[in-house]
Amino acid sequence: MVTLQHFAGRWYLQILRFLLLFSNIIPISLRVNLDMGKIVYSWMIRRDPKIPGTVVRSSTIPEQLGRISYLLTDKTGTLTQNEMVFKRLHLGTVAYGMDSMDEVQSHIFSVYTQPSQDPPAQKGTTTKVRKTMSSRVYEAVKGIALCHNVTPSYESNGVTDQAEAERQFEDSCRVYQASSPDEVALVQWTESVGLTLVGRDQSSMQLRTPGGQIMNFTILQIFPFTYESKRMGIIVREDSTGEITFYMKGADVVMAGIVQYNDWLEEECGNMAREGLRVLVVAKKSLTEEQYQDFEARYVQAKLSVHDRSLKVATVIESLEMEMELLCLTGVEDQLQVDVRPTLETLRNAGMKVWMLTGDKLETATCTAKNAHLVTRNQDIHIFRPVTNRGEAHLELNAFRRKHDCALVISGDSLEVCLKYYEYEFMELACQCPAVVCCRCAPTQKAQIVRLLQERTGKLTCAVGDGGNDVSMIQEADCGVGVEGKEGKQASLAADFSITQFKHLGRLLMVHGRNSYKRSAALSQFVIHRSLCISTMQAVFSSVFYFASVPLYQGFLIIGYSTIYTMFPVFSLVLDKDVKSEVAMLYPELYKDLLKGRPLSYKTFLIWVLISIYQGSIIMYGALLLFESEFVHIVAISFTSLILTELLMVALTIQTWHWLMIVAELLSLSCYIASLVFLHEFIDVYFITTVSFLWKVTVITLVSCLPLYVLKYLRRKFSPPSYSKLTS
């Protein structure tokens, strides 16, 4: 504008004046509208009766739920219920399944009922073998009953009070409490075969035998389970005999190097894992009083050291963890969550790639992936062989490159090697897979995978988990979803969205995510259109009057335009939806369209810019052509046409009418008509009651809006959007 004035006079003041006149082009209200819209979306998610208990902890990202390309999920507690059922006890030479638990019970019973004197000679070797079998079973069950962090608590059941129940070790009042459901499943099983945990405090533990006697144990040391060590240990002294025993249980990968050499551990762990069981290895070591005193002295010394304390403590504990006697393998099974299969099916059809990151064994993870239909029946599974160096990783990646459309299963150790040497190549291949399963994953690795996916693909990721080990992954992802499960609320409190069941994720993404994204896209473009329209009119007005820096609309008109006259109808776009929620759930392919970013792109933005320039120019030129005598008539005609155009454009954009939208339109129009009485200094009140004013406004509004209505109709007829086929 100043250039067209040829920098005449005090042109630097003109620049400042024009900057103020065109400041409307900066859509300050866009930030306010979008933030208020996000609050409305969050409220809708919380109030949805089909996903009860859902909590929105971050109200700034509901739209991101509408463009998720990669879903990363934990296994235990997220895809599965985390309700463990004891299924298998394996002693190496013999395995006991669910149907043969009565044999275990009889072995335990025989240990406590058989007299201690030698059996009669005529029975021969059979009794001796029988007895050793019984004692092996008993040792295994005793190890399981002692090596845990479970505490039995007693609750009054109406008949007996709490103190009485605790004193009598009342079975009906006992409740087991532990940090992990695996632990509770194991202790409940030992109770079912005759060895019951009846009491525990900081320093002692009580077991009840099948005969009803109470065995007292003193807890000397306890080494809790950590995600790094993958094992837990306990040193107990039996009060009646004074025997000191060190029990340990943990994952087979760490226990294999701790127990004495045997030829069946690895094979049987693999067999049990292929059945989908979670395997724990239980071992023991008898200690003499001298050995224990020596250990305790070193342990206390290590705990008191100032430098490298944790390392020294670990070293002392490891000195005990040698040549331990392998007692048994335990297998517990975890049931799948309700409706996991249809939910994963829906997410896959919506164009998402699902990655399962778990700490379980490779075989268990593969079994769950098949059960949950994470891997479809006609898909091949490529199991990435264990690699330890660059050469092996290179060969294995080449073998994997030759496979097409197959799911990948890889262990955490191999993944680390691949990412160290061939990060780019590995991520490129993995991103092409329909599904990826990473097993034996540490929490830090989970977060690293999320970060790499974001960096390599530039696409949005969503992480779902239920435990403390998933927090790093949830916080790293663009959208974190926590499932409230058996492992506490750590994950759900750290997440952006908290759900009660995995199946609610489908509706959260397909319905709420999709609607939030489409609504925000329409709202943001409309707010820009509103700002650009009035700026175009100001530009046309200044151009006609020799580039004068004179405002077209004064004071209250300019404030009222972006507030009470147009605010409600424009904001009512947050209630718009193109299809019903049932249809969005039934056709997840509708979600896939959003991944292309069509509702909000440079193309749609430019279309709205052109519409704004067209409408602003038509209204301004129309008012200038049709006004007769006074300048104040231009303001009346153009401003009324502008308000009507905005209201009609909102009506043109809406796809499904809501009663609040109609109220918003009528309310805004009423506010404008009512305020005309007070705006006599800007608008000639007598002129707006004439027929001349009415026909001029009608003609200008029709010319600015009718072509757009015709174009929308033609587009709907000859190039309908995908959802229109489902709404008709």
Side-chain angles (χ1 to χ4, degrees):
M1 287 291 176
V2 176
T3 308
L4 292 167
Q5 281 182 351
H6 305 297
F7 295 95
R10 291 194 290 178
W11 57 270
Y12 46 88
L13 286 178
Q14 294 294 330
I15 284 183
L16 292 173
R17 287 184 68 136
F18 275 120
L19 273 175
L20 290 171
L21 286 178
F22 291 131
S23 63
N24 282 317
I25 211 165
I26 301 167
I28 297 167
S29 59
L30 178 63
R31 182 76 266 164
V32 180
N33 274 295
L34 281 179
D35 283 351
M36 284 168 64
K38 287 170 182 184
I39 292 166
V40 173
Y41 308 147
S42 303
W43 181 81
M44 286 174 172
I45 292 170
R46 281 201 302 272
R47 292 291 301 269
D48 189 342
K50 293 196 176 159
I51 47 171
T54 302
V55 181
V56 182
R57 301 192 193 278
S58 168
S59 60
T60 54
I61 58 165
E63 300 92 348
Q64 296 199 358
L65 291 172
R67 295 190 63 195
I68 302 296
S69 296
Y70 288 93
L71 180 80
L72 300 103
T73 171
D74 178 38
K75 181 182 85 74
T76 310
T78 307
L79 297 179
T80 59
Q81 293 178 14
N82 210 358
E83 281 182 8
M84 303 298 173
V85 181
F86 192 93
K87 290 280 184 183
R88 184 77 49 85
L89 177 74
H90 205 299
L91 301 174
T93 52
V94 61
Y96 297 100
M98 287 302 288
D99 50 353
S100 51
M101 288 304 169
D102 51 342
E103 285 185 46
V104 178
Q105 210 167 347
S106 64
H107 280 309
I108 300 290
F109 197 72
S110 68
V111 169
Y112 285 103
T113 52
Q114 272 185 354
S116 56
Q117 75 267 22
D118 291 335
Q122 70 265 31
K123 293 264 179 101
T125 54
T126 52
T127 318
K128 201 168 184 184
V129 172
R130 166 87 184 170
K131 191 172 180 193
T132 53
M133 195 67 236
S134 294
S135 61
R136 277 181 66 196
V137 171
Y138 166 66
E139 281 299 334
V141 175
K142 186 173 158 189
I144 297 166
L146 289 170
C147 188
H148 52 72
N149 59 12
V150 181
T151 306
S153 61
Y154 292 87
E155 297 171 356
S156 57
N157 60 0
V159 183
T160 51
D161 70 336
Q162 202 166 333
E164 179 66 26
E166 205 159 333
R167 208 165 40 249
Q168 301 295 326
F169 296 137
E170 194 73 47
D171 283 353
S172 58
C173 308
R174 192 185 310 109
V175 179
Y176 291 120
Q177 293 176 334
S179 58
S180 159
D182 300 46
E183 303 266 79
V184 176
L186 293 172
V187 173
Q188 282 172 339
W189 174 77
T190 63
E191 180 184 353
S192 71
V193 295
L195 213 52
T196 310
L197 175 72
V198 289
R200 180 181 184 147
D201 55 31
Q202 287 281 312
S203 58
S204 67
M205 218 186 300
Q206 291 81 38
L207 296 183
R208 187 171 62 203
T209 66
Q213 299 102 348
I214 302 296
M215 298 162 67
N216 287 301
F217 295 87
T218 305
I219 300 172
L220 301 175
Q221 298 290 348
I222 189 156
F223 315 115
F225 174 88
T226 64
Y227 289 114
E228 287 74 37
S229 68
K230 296 192 175 103
R231 58 188 181 270
M232 74 152 293
I234 188 169
I235 303 178
V236 293
R237 178 191 279 124
E238 191 171 346
D239 291 1
S240 58
T241 60
E243 280 180 16
I244 299 174
T245 315
F246 172 38
Y247 288 104
M248 177 164 269
K249 73 168 181 215
D252 56 301
V253 275
V254 288
M255 295 298 285
I258 291 170
V259 298
Q260 294 165 349
Y261 174 76
N262 61 78
D263 54 5
W264 58 272
L265 175 64
E266 194 178 336
E267 186 185 345
E268 291 305 334
C269 282
N271 290 341
M272 285 164 76
R274 273 187 284 279
E275 292 175 38
L277 302 179
R278 295 184 74 171
V279 185
L280 279 175
V281 180
V282 185
K284 77 162 194 173
K285 187 177 192 177
S286 298
L287 302 175
T288 62
E289 189 68 43
E290 293 75 35
Q291 281 175 318
Y292 175 69
Q293 293 302 337
D294 170 53
F295 165 77
E296 190 180 31
R298 288 185 294 124
Y299 187 58
V300 170
Q301 189 65 42
K303 284 210 285 192
L304 293 174
S305 60
V306 180
H307 301 294
D308 299 329
R309 183 184 302 145
S310 53
L311 185 69
K312 287 178 181 174
V313 167
T315 310
V316 174
I317 297 171
E318 277 169 21
S319 69
L320 268 191
E321 297 171 348
M322 289 176 188
E323 292 295 303
M324 294 185 74
E325 180 192 339
L326 174 57
L327 292 177
C328 64
L329 306 181
T330 63
V332 289
E333 188 179 39
D334 197 357
Q335 306 293 319
L336 280 179
Q337 286 265 22
V338 184
D339 290 340
V340 158
R341 287 168 187 160
T343 305
L344 286 173
E345 194 94 19
T346 301
L347 297 173
R348 249 202 329 272
N349 291 340
M352 273 180 238
K353 292 187 174 175
V354 185
W355 289 38
M356 185 170 91
L357 314 178
T358 174
D360 276 1
K361 270 180 73 66
L362 188 136
E363 292 85 356
T364 315
T366 311
C367 186
T368 308
K370 286 178 182 170
N371 276 351
H373 292 186
L374 181 71
V375 179
T376 55
R377 284 179 185 171
N378 52 3
Q379 262 172 9
D380 290 334
I381 295 180
H382 177 79
I383 295 178
F384 206 89
R385 284 211 305 271
V387 295
T388 50
N389 55 48
R390 186 174 191 147
E392 289 176 0
H394 181 75
L395 290 170
E396 194 55 32
L397 278 171
N398 281 344
F400 177 44
R401 190 177 270 111
R402 289 192 283 273
K403 300 281 181 78
H404 292 290
D405 191 43
C406 72
L408 171 67
V409 179
I410 185 168
S411 69
D413 299 337
S414 303
L415 180 71
E416 206 168 329
V417 175
C418 289
L419 293 178
K420 187 177 175 184
Y421 298 113
Y422 297 107
E423 184 184 292
Y424 179 79
E425 291 85 347
F426 175 77
M427 290 307 292
E428 187 184 20
L429 289 170
C431 289
Q432 291 166 8
C433 293
V436 177
V437 177
C438 298
C439 51
R440 290 279 181 237
C441 250
T444 47
Q445 260 184 327
K446 291 182 178 185
Q448 185 191 10
I449 292 166
V450 175
R451 196 162 48 249
L452 284 170
L453 272 175
Q454 290 167 334
E455 288 168 6
R456 291 277 166 233
T457 63
K459 300 215 170 112
L460 292 183
T461 56
C462 174
V464 192
D466 73 313
N469 59 333
D470 303 316
V471 169
S472 55
M473 163 175 86
I474 285 170
Q475 291 181 328
E476 192 67 50
D478 298 293
C479 294
V481 180
V483 182
E484 285 183 23
K486 300 275 191 311
E487 292 185 33
K489 288 197 171 188
Q490 272 176 297
S492 80
L493 289 171
D496 304 306
F497 302 90
S498 168
I499 55 178
T500 51
Q501 287 179 298
F502 184 79
K503 67 174 181 179
H504 293 166
L505 187 66
R507 189 172 173 85
L508 187 67
L509 298 176
M510 299 298 117
V511 177
H512 293 288
R514 185 174 180 276
N515 284 346
S516 301
Y517 177 58
K518 293 204 78 160
R519 287 163 177 170
S520 281
L523 180 66
S524 56
Q525 292 176 126
F526 209 93
V527 171
I528 285 170
H529 161 265
R530 186 174 68 182
S531 309
L532 209 53
C533 239
I534 200 163
S535 300
T536 306
M537 289 172 69
Q538 177 66 54
V540 171
F541 176 75
S542 293
S543 306
V544 169
F545 289 97
Y546 307 104
F547 312 109
S549 53
V550 178
L552 170 60
Y553 300 126
Q554 304 277 339
F556 188 78
L557 286 183
I558 205 88
I559 295 166
Y561 170 67
S562 56
T563 53
I564 60 165
Y565 298 152
T566 59
M567 182 174 70
F568 300 117
V570 170
F571 188 68
S572 71
L573 288 171
V574 300
L575 302 169
D576 193 17
K577 58 180 177 187
D578 52 0
V579 292
K580 291 191 175 115
S581 55
E582 294 77 23
V583 175
M585 286 297 290
L586 194 60
Y587 297 99
E589 291 77 11
L590 289 170
Y591 187 92
K592 203 186 281 189
D593 281 356
L594 300 193
L595 299 179
K596 297 165 187 164
R598 282 177 184 159
L600 187 63
S601 61
Y602 286 115
K603 180 186 168 186
T604 57
F605 176 74
L606 286 171
I607 288 170
W608 276 102
V609 168
L610 291 172
I611 290 170
S612 308
I613 293 169
Y614 166 74
Q615 290 185 325
S617 308
I618 288 291
I619 294 167
M620 201 62 242
Y621 278 121
L624 289 167
L625 285 170
L626 297 177
F627 96 105
E628 284 145 9
S629 50
E630 296 178 46
F631 169 69
V632 80
H633 293 177
I634 295 182
V635 174
I637 294 168
S638 64
F639 195 74
T640 308
S641 300
L642 179 62
I643 297 294
L644 290 174
T645 299
E646 282 298 319
L647 298 182
L648 285 170
M649 282 302 290
V650 171
L652 178 71
T653 309
I654 288 168
Q655 284 154 343
T656 308
W657 282 87
H658 188 283
W659 65 270
L660 278 170
M661 294 170 169
I662 299 164
V663 169
E665 293 261 336
L666 295 174
L667 183 69
S668 296
L669 195 58
S670 310
C671 283
Y672 178 59
I673 293 165
S675 67
L676 289 175
V677 181
F678 309 105
L679 301 174
H680 47 80
E681 57 186 287
F682 310 118
I683 290 172
D684 184 350
V685 181
Y686 298 107
F687 173 63
I688 59 173
T689 54
T690 61
V691 176
S692 168
F693 168 78
L694 293 173
W695 78 258
K696 285 171 186 174
V697 166
T698 308
V699 167
I700 291 169
T701 309
L702 281 174
V703 173
S704 74
C705 290
L706 199 61
L708 296 171
Y709 270 84
V710 171
L711 282 170
K712 182 183 177 180
Y713 171 76
L714 291 172
R715 191 177 168 209
R716 267 286 177 87
K717 190 152 183 69
F718 297 110
S719 174
S722 53
Y723 60 81
S724 64
K725 298 161 191 164
L726 305 173
T727 49
S728 55

